[in-house]
Amino acid sequence: GLAAFAVICGMAGYFALGVLVPTTDASMQYRLLLAMLKAGPVALLGVWTLVAGNCARPAKGSHVPVSVPLAGVGLLLGCLGDTALELQRQAMPKLFLAGLGFFLLSHVAYVAAFASDSRVGFLRTPRAAVGFIFYSSVAAALLSIMLPLKEPELTAPVIVYASTIGVMGVLSVAWWPSRSESLADGGRRSYLLGVFGAAFFLLSDSILAYNKFVDPIPHAHTLTMATYYAAQGLIAMAALSRLADAQQKSKDE
């Protein structure tokens, strides 16, 4: 409860200060404050997830799902990406590539998290085909609109990043709890949270990319951040739900 309240306060503070005071006339100290407020909620989610996984006491013979610490690492890397992109947005344009790099590593952690919970043969399921068609189509359409980029040196990093988030989306859709679990079980809840988290990430990054590389979108930053916070929150909730489900199973056994 307290951690959730702190996350909400951080998001509200960032949106309020970012709108009320023009950053073009702000001091560097104020810009750093905005960067910390922007990254703070995601940092709290990352620490919260890692601490929950570390403090979990699974029954003998069971273990904390690997996806939980991996999600925590992904959240903390996203926090570093937040900081770099916020400073880039305000006064340091060269930090865009650093922010992209941190988010690329964050998505690699999420890819590993989804893959660690997947069962053998999951990529041969119809869900995997649906996920692949959807994410590859969206990524291809967005890249076809954006390319060639106004900044050619960013072409390769952007393509790699788009491919990675596509893989994350496919894995989020492809994974599904075993048939022995009922619809009410935490495994299904964790699955749905992860699916929507990945989808919101795709939406957030699409808005950001279109606004930066194609045409300005009204209120683009607000839309990007709202969908981004939703994505990170859902992924954190998916990891915590996965942990709770694993603990409940160990008790039942």
Side-chain angles (χ1 to χ4, degrees):
L2 183 60
F5 178 73
V7 168
I8 293 170
C9 286
M11 289 188 292
Y14 173 70
F15 277 115
L17 290 178
V19 171
L20 293 176
V21 180
T23 55
T24 51
D25 300 325
S27 65
M28 180 53 68
Q29 289 83 355
Y30 185 82
R31 290 171 177 172
L32 288 171
L33 172 63
L34 271 184
M36 288 189 291
L37 280 173
K38 178 185 179 183
V42 179
L44 283 171
L45 286 173
V47 171
W48 188 6
T49 303
L50 287 173
V51 170
N54 188 58
C55 294
R57 294 288 182 270
K60 187 176 180 180
S62 61
H63 62 279
V64 173
V66 178
S67 57
V68 176
L70 283 171
V73 169
L75 287 161
L76 292 180
L77 286 167
C79 161
L80 295 176
D82 280 334
T83 305
L85 290 184
E86 181 62 23
L87 293 175
Q88 168 268 327
R89 187 178 73 89
Q90 297 172 29
M92 304 176 186
K94 291 185 178 180
L95 284 179
F96 178 79
L97 198 55
L100 191 69
F102 281 125
F103 275 113
L104 174 62
L105 294 175
S106 174
H107 289 312
V108 169
Y110 292 150
V111 165
F114 283 120
S116 70
D117 275 345
S118 300
R119 289 162 176 78
V120 176
F122 75 103
L123 284 176
R124 295 193 293 272
T125 64
R127 288 181 298 275
V130 170
F132 177 79
I133 292 171
F134 173 75
Y135 278 95
S136 60
S137 298
V138 172
L142 192 60
L143 286 173
S144 68
I145 294 171
M146 293 192 306
L147 297 176
L149 298 181
K150 300 172 185 176
E151 303 165 77
E153 67 277 8
L154 294 178
T155 300
V158 166
I159 291 175
V160 171
Y161 180 84
S163 301
T164 305
I165 196 171
V167 171
M168 181 188 76
V170 171
L171 286 171
S172 74
V173 175
W175 177 74
W176 185 261
S178 64
R179 294 179 181 178
S180 63
E181 296 172 330
S182 69
L183 286 173
D185 281 343
R188 305 268 172 155
R189 182 170 59 251
S190 175
Y191 168 79
L192 291 174
L193 289 168
V195 166
F196 283 109
F200 270 105
F201 238 126
L202 177 66
L203 178 58
S204 176
D205 285 345
S206 297
I207 295 170
L208 187 153
Y210 192 92
N211 182 71
K212 180 176 176 63
F213 297 116
V214 185
D215 286 315
I217 299 175
H219 311 294
H221 185 60
T222 301
L223 293 171
T224 299
M225 291 309 302
T227 49
Y228 167 72
Y229 280 137
Q232 295 285 44
L234 287 166
I235 288 175
M237 290 168 63
L240 294 172
S241 177
R242 182 77 181 88
L243 175 63
D245 185 50
Q247 289 181 299
Q248 185 59 47
K249 276 186 179 180
S250 66
K251 288 179 183 178
D252 295 340
E253 293 170 359

